[in-house]
Amino acid sequence: MSDSRHLSEPGYSSSQRNRLTDVRAALLLAGCSSSSPLIPSMFLINLWYDKTAPEFDPAQVDPGATRAIGNIVGDAALEARVGYFGICINPDGGSWLCSANASSLAAQVSVDQDPLNLIWVAQTFRESIVFPYLLIIAIILAAVTLLLLATFPGYEEEYEGGPERRRLPSRAVSQIALAVIFVAAIFVLVSVLWQHTASVAAATIAENLENGSVSTGVGVTAMVLGWFGFALLIIVTIGLLVMILSMHLVEKLTDAEDL
């Protein structure tokens, strides 16, 4: 009986949102992987030499250390940005140099340009804290959901010359797609929340440690891409859940009519 049931206009934009989520996640992972335009702007955390007024607090055992660090920094102006699979540096305000190998980047700058080893600090953050594999798994799961959505029936004429309608998709396939996309959403949530919290904590510690000589920041673009991707996955999850509930309601009404 389910072969004869139709859904007049279900919300099948879930696959479009799913594709958009994959693109955003891929862009997020590609941040700082090359010096191509816009790629260096997608970073998790950045550190740069910047002379600012130091903060003094009674908890500081040696407040004079700030002056000593400032003398070491001198006129350095290097900035380092960290992505999931690479690091970008800008030694003197010119073009960006990006690589997954921090040693090769360090070989291209002088001691005066990076006296406090910000490139090494950036490498340590990426290797010890950054964990991209949950996002990669989420992309794979979203792609699986996209393939499942592609099996949904298309439009067809109810009778020759009649209006076009969609048949109800398989409930089993719909439930599998819902479960897969829900797991993908959880993975993205954990990954983005983890990286957001870790980036803010690391930026705060690094800036306080080099009080008055180094400034830090958190990549807004990367965080927006991550949270927006999670929001899209939630929308897809809700859409599939509503569709499954609607199918169940249609089947109940149809069975009631047959009785």
Side-chain angles (χ1 to χ4, degrees):
M1 181 178 297
S2 59
D3 294 339
S4 63
R5 296 167 189 159
H6 295 80
L7 201 60
S8 60
E9 190 61 40
Y12 283 105
S13 59
S14 296
S15 59
Q16 297 175 352
R17 297 192 184 97
N18 214 8
R19 285 193 294 267
L20 186 58
T21 301
D22 285 346
V23 171
R24 290 181 179 274
L27 286 175
L28 179 58
L29 291 173
C32 292
S33 60
S34 74
S35 55
S36 302
L38 300 180
I39 297 298
S41 65
M42 290 179 285
F43 57 91
L44 299 175
I45 185 177
N46 63 330
L47 310 94
W48 70 95
Y49 293 105
D50 184 25
K51 290 185 177 181
T52 58
E55 296 182 6
F56 296 99
D57 190 276
Q60 297 175 356
V61 177
D62 184 10
T66 299
R67 184 179 299 105
I69 293 175
N71 293 333
I72 295 174
V73 170
D75 296 326
L78 180 140
E79 179 181 356
R81 295 180 174 180
V82 184
Y84 278 99
F85 290 104
I87 298 173
C88 289
I89 62 170
N90 191 327
D92 51 12
S95 59
W96 288 96
L97 303 174
C98 300
S99 175
N101 189 339
S103 299
S104 65
L105 294 175
Q108 301 181 58
V109 300
S110 64
V111 175
D112 293 337
Q113 290 176 315
D114 189 16
L116 297 181
N117 299 315
L118 290 189
I119 297 177
W120 173 73
V121 173
Q123 178 194 27
T124 302
F125 173 81
R126 186 172 69 86
E127 292 180 348
S128 303
I129 300 177
V130 175
F131 189 78
Y133 302 106
L134 285 180
L135 273 181
I136 295 175
I137 295 175
I139 292 176
I140 295 174
L141 293 177
V144 171
T145 304
L146 190 61
L147 293 176
L148 292 175
L149 292 175
T151 65
F152 284 13
Y155 284 103
E156 61 181 30
E157 293 184 354
E158 192 168 7
Y159 53 87
E160 186 175 355
E164 291 186 339
R165 299 180 182 272
R166 282 187 190 267
R167 288 188 178 275
L168 289 176
S170 167
R171 178 185 292 184
V173 174
S174 301
Q175 291 174 341
I176 293 174
L178 175 62
V180 171
I181 201 63
F182 178 74
V183 173
I186 295 300
F187 279 9
V188 170
L189 173 62
V190 173
S191 178
V192 174
L193 188 60
W194 179 354
Q195 296 305 156
H196 193 169
T197 305
S199 297
V200 172
T204 302
I205 293 174
E207 186 167 349
N208 289 337
L209 185 63
E210 315 298 347
N211 189 7
S213 298
V214 173
S215 295
T216 60
V218 176
V220 176
T221 302
M223 294 306 164
V224 169
L225 286 174
W227 287 112
F228 193 73
F230 169 69
L232 287 178
L233 288 178
I234 289 298
I235 292 174
V236 174
T237 302
I238 294 175
L240 286 173
L241 178 61
V242 171
M243 186 188 69
I244 292 173
L245 294 177
S246 299
M247 290 166 51
H248 180 67
L249 179 60
V250 169
E251 290 175 351
K252 286 183 62 177
L253 294 176
T254 304
D255 292 341
E257 289 179 357
D258 292 342
L259 293 176

